[in-house]
Amino acid sequence: MIRIKHIIITCLVCVCMACNKDFLENTNKSKLTDDMQWSGEGNADLFLNDIYSALPNYWNQPENLDNFTDDNDAGFYYTSYNWKQGIVSPASSDYTVWGGITGSADLTNWPTTFNNIRKCNTFIAAVQQYASNFSEAWRNKRLDEARFLRAFFYSELWQHVGGLPIITEPMDRRKDDSTEIYKARNTFAETADFITSELDAIVKGQHLNVKYNHGDADAGRATLGAALALKGWVELYAASPAFNAATPAAGIDPNKVAGYNNYDPQRWAKAAASFKLFIDNYGNGKPYELFPNQATLWYEANEYNSEVVWDRQVVANIMGSSFEQYGGPVWILGNYYTWGNYNPTQELVDQFQMANGKSITDPASGYDKQQPYKNREKRFYDWIVYDGAPYKMDWMDRTDTIFTRIDKVRPSKNQIDFGTDDVSNTGYYFKKKLNPLVRPGGGAVSGANFIYFRYVEVLLGYAEAQNEVAGPDGTVYNAMHLVRQRAGLPDLPAGLSKDEMREAILHERRVELCFEQKRFYDIVRHKIANTVMNVDKHGMMITNTSPNDNKGVWKYEPVPLNHPHVFKPHMYLNPIPQDVIDRNRKIVQNPGY
């Protein structure tokens, strides 16, 4: 079996073979037919491995979805800067992160998504056509992997644009009637149902492993755990207020591509049931459970740990990660290292509670505005780099102290400047997910896998859905307590109302999942983007009352960033690219574009 993490190595070997002069001269290319491609399991695996290699590697994007939220302040040259000005247009086909106007990053890349879907359809059809060339066990397993990958690709685009054309056969314009090639968009509901029904069939089929562990030959391939977690997430997304309503958040939608156009509480129940099934069958250490050390969960040495449900394989230097180049403190030990793209806003920092579990707005919390970084919860110190924070990664020979204050006596290169260079405009950096072994600036040298889903999301997803179904019952409290206990926080108080529990769950999601590309989906699906994105964000300016000698008091003052903050209702969905509509007149546009 070919381990997925070695896909690229296999591809490179193939390239080297192709560069061999004798190989080129002695191979009759007319014989490289479908019969050869599908002659056995090894060759067929190469085709499927190529589809795995198309999974998005979000490590290697200098902009991610958190840039499109109220949690992060990013550079003016990125697509998110246009988006935060309300500039979104179907006219562009530029899906890069560099100042495009297509919407949230490159996740709306319609051509790439459907190219990947077509590859999945081709694999499924070919394996069925050449079934006699494969063992039944291999065939069942690989077909379900391909169906999972197809569902995953569909889910990624569906979350951003709504209903999609459901295509399950490899369309070929050379053979098929043109009227059959051009498909209309299915409704939001039909697309969601297709994705979840495919995933449900995979879970019930039981052909995949529940989980893979470090060293397993097939580590990185789809699993039953990944299929059930994705099913629950899609159901949770669909049940949320932006879509599960008489009028979708994006606007009046006669085509039913932007939402359901009605409210049904059973949609919450479906999500709760999927997450509960996961917890009952696969959770509580069977084999998934919360990894004890949050600070090191993403480290390369801890790949495939008990919390990882679905990740994207990365191989250092070959198809490695350059994430460390993009985030973290800009200046370390006096040297320039990173682009400083991920700068937590004051809005996010204020969400981290005190060590006693109380919000900083609670008069009984002990929070001191003049010592705002004292006695905060553990996750704050694990993930946020604040003024005066010690900073030490394994690649560093000594600990640095990061100062973001405005200090005329001992100025720091990381000093907040509100300018257009790489230094943070918020007075904060982050260190969550950074590989401690990797010196920033060395290229794609990190081999840490990118995690799409982890078990904590199953717990939080269940708590949210079940709370909507039955209110804050004991199972909701239990799920929340597991999350908070791992973070070193006390349990939630008893007797919370349904609304209070909902607020507690969304707060926990925001903190626990910060900088994991989850906040964007939460502000969209809960229909709060129009509230949180239409106000200015803040940073922390720290100055001394006696600036020339620092003999005064250090003053902590939240200050507005004065950056764009425009959000219009139609931005709850991205537009369908105009060139797609031009090629296929059956495709309708989303509301408001």
Side-chain angles (χ1 to χ4, degrees):
M1 307 298 283
I2 300 173
R3 189 179 177 190
I4 297 301
K5 197 153 186 176
H6 295 156
I7 292 171
I8 193 68
I9 297 175
T10 303
C11 293
L12 288 174
V13 170
C14 292
V15 169
C16 293
M17 291 174 62
C19 293
N20 181 280
K21 188 173 185 288
D22 292 337
F23 177 83
L24 290 173
E25 289 180 349
N26 295 331
T27 300
N28 183 344
K29 296 176 181 56
S30 65
K31 295 181 180 179
L32 298 177
T33 63
D34 280 355
D35 289 341
M36 182 178 295
Q37 175 72 74
W38 309 107
S39 60
E41 295 172 5
N43 283 355
D45 267 342
L46 289 176
F47 191 98
L48 184 60
N49 290 347
D50 179 63
I51 303 175
Y52 274 104
S53 72
L55 289 168
N57 185 2
Y58 295 131
W59 280 140
N60 289 345
Q61 296 178 348
E63 168 161 273
N64 61 37
L65 277 181
D66 295 293
N67 293 18
F68 293 80
T69 75
D70 51 342
D71 281 358
N72 183 57
D73 181 69
F76 66 94
Y77 27 78
Y78 293 120
T79 295
S80 62
Y81 202 80
N82 287 335
W83 190 84
K84 287 181 177 180
Q85 297 176 75
I87 301 173
V88 188
S89 172
S92 175
S93 58
D94 177 10
Y95 299 107
T96 67
V97 301
W98 304 107
I101 57 173
T102 58
S104 45
D106 67 347
L107 295 172
T108 57
N109 193 324
W110 184 290
T112 296
T113 298
F114 276 98
N115 183 55
N116 292 333
I117 289 169
R118 185 179 188 278
K119 288 180 180 179
C120 293
N121 290 338
T122 297
F123 180 86
I124 292 169
V127 169
Q128 291 171 336
Q129 179 182 350
Y130 293 91
S132 61
N133 293 342
F134 314 113
S135 69
E136 182 180 4
W138 181 95
R139 188 170 64 249
N140 289 336
K141 190 172 186 178
R142 294 298 190 255
L143 284 174
D144 276 1
E145 287 181 41
R147 294 172 73 186
F148 171 84
L149 291 170
R150 182 173 63 186
F152 180 77
F153 290 130
Y154 260 110
S155 71
E156 289 280 276
L157 187 58
W158 166 79
Q159 292 175 97
H160 288 270
V161 303
L164 297 166
I166 297 174
I167 303 172
T168 58
E169 297 179 355
M171 310 301 292
D172 189 338
R173 61 170 46 92
R174 295 171 302 177
K175 301 176 182 178
D176 298 319
D177 185 278
S178 61
T179 59
E180 293 298 319
I181 292 177
Y182 297 111
K183 302 286 188 179
R185 295 176 69 181
N186 287 81
T187 66
F188 181 93
E190 290 168 345
T191 308
D193 288 346
F194 169 71
I195 297 170
T196 56
S197 64
E198 286 286 285
L199 296 168
D200 188 56
I202 292 169
V203 172
K204 290 178 178 177
Q206 296 290 299
H207 298 304
L208 303 182
N209 284 35
V210 173
K211 187 185 189 310
Y212 289 113
N213 297 308
H214 203 286
D216 289 346
D218 277 357
R221 294 189 181 275
T223 62
L224 294 177
L228 189 51
L230 179 59
K231 178 176 182 282
W233 166 247
V234 169
E235 290 168 338
L236 186 75
Y237 198 79
S240 301
F243 313 106
N244 189 12
T247 302
I252 297 173
D253 175 31
N255 299 303
K256 296 185 178 181
V257 293
Y260 286 103
N261 286 6
N262 63 45
Y263 173 75
D264 184 352
Q266 285 304 305
R267 292 176 184 131
W268 289 110
K270 286 182 180 180
S274 292
F275 286 129
K276 187 177 188 301
L277 184 64
F278 191 111
I279 294 169
D280 291 345
N281 290 356
Y282 305 150
N284 302 310
K286 303 180 296 185
Y288 295 98
E289 61 185 347
L290 296 180
F291 187 70
N293 189 346
Q294 282 178 297
T296 63
L297 189 149
W298 291 269
Y299 287 8
E300 188 172 356
N302 292 326
E303 288 176 346
Y304 317 104
N305 67 64
S306 61
E307 192 164 341
V308 176
V309 177
W310 171 232
D311 63 358
R312 204 273 191 199
Q313 306 304 286
V314 176
V315 179
N317 298 309
I318 299 176
M319 58 175 193
S321 159
S322 53
F323 185 67
E324 288 67 27
Q325 173 74 70
Y326 305 133
V330 174
W331 294 87
I332 304 171
L333 298 174
N335 297 308
Y336 171 87
Y337 277 106
T338 80
W339 296 8
N341 285 351
Y342 309 129
N343 307 139
T345 61
Q346 191 63 46
E347 281 73 13
L348 172 60
V349 168
D350 287 348
Q351 294 298 307
F352 287 84
Q353 295 179 334
M354 302 297 286
N356 58 18
K358 297 183 183 296
S359 168
I360 66 170
T361 59
D362 187 332
S365 69
Y367 177 72
D368 183 351
K369 291 183 179 180
Q370 291 307 115
Q371 299 184 79
Y373 312 131
K374 184 178 180 181
N375 296 329
R376 301 296 288 270
E377 63 167 283
K378 184 179 183 298
R379 290 178 295 192
F380 175 77
Y381 301 109
D382 285 343
W383 298 340
I384 304 296
V385 182
Y386 53 92
D387 178 75
Y391 191 79
K392 175 65 168 71
M393 293 294 184
D394 291 352
W395 62 266
M396 300 166 59
D397 60 8
R398 65 187 188 279
T399 300
D400 196 359
T401 302
I402 306 300
F403 288 105
T404 61
R405 63 185 64 183
I406 298 174
D407 189 341
K408 293 184 178 181
V409 179
R410 290 180 294 275
S412 167
K413 291 184 177 181
N414 284 308
Q415 172 180 299
I416 189 172
D417 68 351
F418 307 108
T420 57
D421 63 9
D422 292 339
V423 173
S424 173
N425 293 311
T426 69
Y428 301 101
Y429 298 96
F430 88 123
K431 55 183 176 179
K432 186 180 187 182
K433 303 192 299 181
L434 294 178
N435 187 334
L437 300 174
V438 173
R439 182 189 300 272
V445 295
S446 174
N449 291 347
F450 183 90
I451 300 173
Y452 297 123
F453 290 106
R454 53 191 182 100
Y455 182 59
V456 74
E457 295 177 65
V458 173
L459 295 173
L460 291 170
Y462 173 75
E464 180 181 342
Q466 181 65 10
N467 184 58
E468 297 301 328
V469 173
D473 63 19
T475 63
V476 173
Y477 269 99
N478 288 341
M480 290 294 288
H481 290 168
L482 285 173
V483 178
R484 289 176 63 82
Q485 287 167 6
R486 197 262 300 268
L489 293 171
D491 293 345
L492 292 172
L496 294 180
S497 68
K498 181 177 182 178
D499 291 344
E500 289 170 334
M501 179 59 81
R502 182 188 303 116
E503 182 178 350
I505 293 167
L506 294 181
H507 165 267
E508 203 63 42
R509 286 186 63 89
R510 186 175 185 182
V511 174
E512 174 68 28
L513 303 176
C514 70
F515 290 99
E516 295 184 52
Q517 308 207 83
K518 308 295 181 178
R519 174 67 176 171
F520 176 83
Y521 295 121
D522 283 354
I523 66 175
V524 166
R525 66 188 183 88
H526 277 279
K527 200 178 176 181
I528 60 173
N530 58 305
T531 300
V532 302
M533 297 306 296
N534 274 323
V535 293
D536 202 358
K537 314 305 176 291
H538 293 78
M540 179 64 81
M541 184 171 68
I542 307 170
T543 57
N544 198 283
T545 56
S546 181
N548 294 325
D549 57 14
N550 286 351
K551 292 182 178 179
V553 176
W554 288 104
K555 182 174 63 173
Y556 294 79
E557 181 184 6
V559 291
L561 297 176
N562 296 317
H563 287 175
H565 49 274
V566 175
F567 185 91
K568 303 171 184 176
H570 63 267
M571 293 167 62
Y572 276 107
L573 288 178
N574 287 334
I576 304 299
Q578 187 59 45
D579 61 349
V580 170
I581 296 175
D582 291 342
R583 291 195 303 269
N584 180 3
R585 292 297 180 178
K586 293 182 180 179
I587 300 292
V588 296
Q589 185 55 274
N590 279 330
Y593 292 102

